[in-house]
Amino acid sequence: EVQLVESGGGSVQPGRSLRLSCAASGFTFDDYAMHWVRQAPGKGLEWVSGINWNSDYIGYADSVKGRFTISRDNAKNSLYLYMNSLRPEDTALYYCAKGGGSSLASYNWFDPWGQGTLVTVSS
Amino acid sequence: SYELTQPPSVSVSPGQTASITCSGDKLGDKYACWYQQKPGQSPVLVIYQNNRRPSGIPERFSGSNSGNTATLTISGTQTMDEADYYCQAWDSSTVVFGGGTKLTVL
C-alpha cells in the first residue's frame, strides 16, 4: 500500500523558516515525481512545488518562488520542502502527493495524497 | 496567469446525474484531472487524463474535456458522493487548480 506521511509542520512567526518532510513507502520512490500542494483553512487547493524523479526538473508556484525549496533523497524515500521568509498567507495544510509518472509532465496527476501537516504563520 | 473556473456549488437529488464544469482558455488542449475531497479528508483522484478512472473509483464517475470546458459527470449520484470537487490542469510547467465545487446531494 502506498503511504505518504508528512511531518515538520508547526506554528512559526513571520519571517522564520520551517522544513517539511514526507516519508514515502509502498512504491518505488525514485520512479515518480513528487509534489507539495497546500490548502489554507476553508480554502481550495494550491500547488506549491514539484520535483521530477532525479531532481533535474523542479517547478514552483509564483507565490513561493525564491522563498521555498523542494528537494528529495531517493536513498531515504523522502521529499522535503524548505520554507524561508514565511508569511501569514503561507498558513495552510501542506500535502505531499505522488505524481502520475517520473516527470513534471502536463499529462500527469496527483495520486495518492498524504494526510498533510499544518503550518501556521502568526506573530 | 492561467485560471480554471468552477461553479461554487451544485445540487443534485440522489439517483440523478450531477455535472460539474471547469472552464479555462483552450482547456480542451490540455489534460484535466478531478479530485474529490470530503470534510476532514485528503483529496482523492477520481478522473485523470480527461476521462480515465483510477482503480477503485466507481464507474458512475466519468469525465470529458473539449473546447474551453472540462466536465465531471456523476451518474446515479449517491449520498456518499457529497464532497468538494476540484479540477486541475498544467499550464506552462505549473499546476493550476480550479476553485472547487461543493456538491450537495439532497
Side-chain angles (χ1 to χ4, degrees):
Chain A
E1 179 193 4
V2 174
Q3 279 201 318
L4 300 171
V5 179
E6 302 93 336
S7 61
S11 183
V12 295
Q13 295 179 325
R16 302 299 291 266
S17 301
L18 209 56
R19 187 189 84 158
L20 305 184
S21 300
C22 171
S25 61
F27 66 102
T28 304
F29 184 71
D30 55 11
D31 276 351
Y32 293 91
M34 296 294 295
H35 300 264
W36 289 100
V37 179
R38 68 185 181 183
Q39 187 169 34
K43 302 297 185 182
L45 302 173
E46 179 188 17
W47 178 77
V48 174
S49 182
I51 185 169
N52 80 323
W53 71 279
N54 67 354
S55 306
D56 276 357
Y57 293 94
I58 288 173
Y60 296 100
D62 287 344
S63 58
V64 307
K65 200 173 293 183
R67 299 188 299 122
F68 290 11
T69 302
I70 191 173
S71 69
R72 63 189 295 162
D73 186 336
N74 288 345
K76 295 183 177 180
N77 289 350
S78 294
L79 175 72
Y80 305 100
L81 185 68
Y82 298 84
M83 304 185 296
N84 297 318
S85 303
L86 282 163
R87 305 167 179 169
E89 55 263 37
D90 295 319
T91 294
L93 186 62
Y94 284 73
Y95 293 104
C96 165
K98 172 177 162 286
S102 61
S103 66
L104 300 185
S106 62
Y107 50 79
N108 276 327
W109 54 92
F110 306 134
D111 180 52
W113 301 52
Q115 288 303 304
T117 187
L118 182 62
V119 173
T120 303
V121 184
S122 173
S123 54
Chain B
S1 61
Y2 194 77
E3 292 185 358
L4 294 175
T5 301
Q6 298 180 235
S9 63
V10 168
S11 296
V12 64
S13 300
Q16 299 304 301
T17 296
S19 294
I20 300 174
T21 59
C22 174
S23 299
D25 185 47
K26 298 181 181 178
L27 180 56
D29 292 341
K30 308 176 189 297
Y31 284 104
C33 301
W34 291 92
Y35 302 88
Q36 176 194 69
Q37 187 179 32
K38 296 182 179 180
Q41 298 184 18
S42 302
V44 172
L45 178 73
V46 294
I47 293 290
Y48 67 102
Q49 292 183 349
N50 297 331
N51 54 20
R52 303 182 69 174
R53 200 172 52 250
S55 60
I57 300 302
E59 290 184 8
R60 64 180 180 273
F61 288 86
S62 63
S64 64
N65 186 15
S66 179
N68 294 322
T69 305
T71 303
L72 173 69
T73 302
I74 309 173
S75 305
T77 307
Q78 300 184 10
T79 54
M80 67 173 65
D81 300 328
E82 188 163 283
D84 293 328
Y85 290 86
Y86 295 90
C87 60
Q88 172 252 308
W90 287 77
D91 180 72
S92 301
S93 300
T94 61
V95 176
V96 181
F97 285 96
T101 297
K102 181 175 181 60
L103 177 67
T104 301
V105 183
L106 44 69

